[in-house]
Amino acid sequence: MTGRSNDGDRPGGALTDRVRTDLLDRIGRTIRLMGDSFVSRQQLVHESRKNIKKLRAGLRLLADAARLDLQKLDEDCAEVARGLSDLRDCDVAILTTRRLAEQSPDDTDAARWREFVARLCSRREELINGGVLDPASMRLRVEQLGLVADRLPHRGIADAGRERFMTGAKQARKKARKAFARLQRNPTEDSFHRLRKRTKREFYQQHLLVRIGLRSEDRDLDKLDSLCQNLGDTQ
């Protein structure tokens, strides 16, 4: 029989149970969203993609804390999001380019931006007509997420406790700092995107720690949220 630590968490597995429950809840939310016919296309794509990012961040934290190989589950989640990510990127690019066209003081430049918007809209239509959101594709995504839920380990992970989860979350910060250093050395679109992705993963993992009771929301978390938003607005 396991005892309890001073903070009220059972070293024998309460935290891993909470993380697993959180991940299963995230999968369930995404599956329900994908089956909701009353949700707009933009909301479906945006919220589903964001949920999968949070799911992948949680899988990474669980893998680091419980010392599990969850690479295949992470790859499966990435596959679910792949077509949605292309469509979301198109939506964001169209909105940004339209603003640039509206704000351009030069008529020639504005016309060029509008031409670019038209090409982006054509690309978006290609993705939609290609079946990225058709019922069969969405059913396949739901099935894939169901398999991720079924394969999520529930045995042999009871040894991960508070210290391991806190250490696991620190790994995300280290990777974000490395991405920032890389951006400073070589400021390219790829290095900027890597920094944005690493920072977002750290933010999602820190929020997961809040949900399982390992930390509270504070100014540091607010600052991290602002940084993620600023990086998103910049790219």
Side-chain angles (χ1 to χ4, degrees):
M1 182 175 180
T2 57
R4 289 182 178 270
S5 61
N6 292 334
D7 61 5
D9 292 323
R10 287 188 292 111
L15 292 176
T16 49
D17 289 344
R18 292 180 211 172
V19 172
R20 187 173 184 278
T21 298
D22 188 274
L23 297 179
L24 290 173
D25 178 66
R26 184 69 55 189
I27 292 172
R29 289 186 192 184
T30 310
I31 288 175
R32 290 192 295 274
L33 180 65
M34 289 181 173
D36 190 344
S37 59
F38 294 99
V39 175
S40 69
R41 178 187 65 76
Q42 288 85 355
Q43 183 181 357
L44 168 65
V45 171
H46 176 57
E47 293 298 328
S48 295
R49 186 167 172 251
K50 185 166 67 173
N51 275 341
I52 293 170
K53 285 182 177 181
K54 291 179 179 180
L55 176 59
R56 295 182 69 191
L59 286 171
R60 181 71 265 168
L61 180 60
L62 181 60
D64 288 340
R67 299 171 185 174
L68 296 168
D69 182 3
L70 301 179
Q71 182 65 31
K72 181 61 170 64
L73 295 185
D74 181 69
E75 291 172 356
D76 290 343
C77 291
E79 180 63 28
V80 171
R82 187 156 288 120
L84 300 178
S85 295
D86 292 341
L87 194 53
R88 172 62 180 170
D89 289 345
C90 252
D91 284 338
V92 173
I94 288 169
L95 290 173
T96 302
T97 309
R98 279 177 175 162
R99 284 199 296 267
L100 290 171
E102 292 169 357
Q103 297 170 3
S104 177
D106 185 278
D107 291 341
T108 302
D109 285 343
R112 289 172 179 167
W113 284 123
R114 286 194 293 271
E115 181 182 349
F116 189 44
V117 169
R119 291 203 297 269
L120 287 170
C121 288
S122 295
R123 173 57 181 158
R124 181 171 64 183
E125 289 304 310
E126 287 177 8
L127 290 170
I128 294 174
N129 293 335
V132 68
L133 292 178
D134 67 22
S137 295
M138 297 309 294
R139 282 196 299 270
L140 180 59
R141 289 189 176 94
V142 168
E143 290 173 6
Q144 288 174 312
L145 286 173
L147 289 174
V148 170
D150 291 341
R151 294 169 182 167
L152 192 63
H154 61 281
R155 294 179 181 176
I157 60 173
D159 57 342
R162 178 189 181 91
E163 187 61 33
R164 284 194 186 177
F165 276 105
M166 299 304 289
T167 301
K170 288 178 182 177
Q171 296 301 315
R173 173 156 295 188
K174 288 181 180 178
K175 290 179 180 179
R177 287 178 174 173
K178 286 182 180 179
F180 180 64
R182 178 178 177 178
L183 176 65
Q184 288 181 306
R185 292 193 305 270
N186 185 27
T188 64
E189 183 177 350
D190 178 67
S191 59
F192 186 90
H193 178 70
R194 182 181 295 270
L195 173 62
R196 182 188 174 197
K197 185 168 66 174
R198 298 298 189 197
T199 304
K200 184 75 75 172
R201 174 164 289 187
E202 180 189 355
F203 176 68
Y204 288 152
Q205 288 190 356
Q206 291 298 326
H207 250 293
L208 177 53
L209 293 181
V210 171
R211 292 196 298 276
I212 66 174
L214 283 188
R215 67 162 296 170
S216 59
E217 294 194 59
D218 53 25
R219 292 183 64 184
D220 288 340
L221 200 56
D222 290 339
K223 290 178 181 178
L224 186 57
D225 186 18
S226 296
L227 175 59
C228 289
Q229 291 184 31
N230 289 335
L231 290 172
D233 292 341
T234 302
Q235 189 172 40

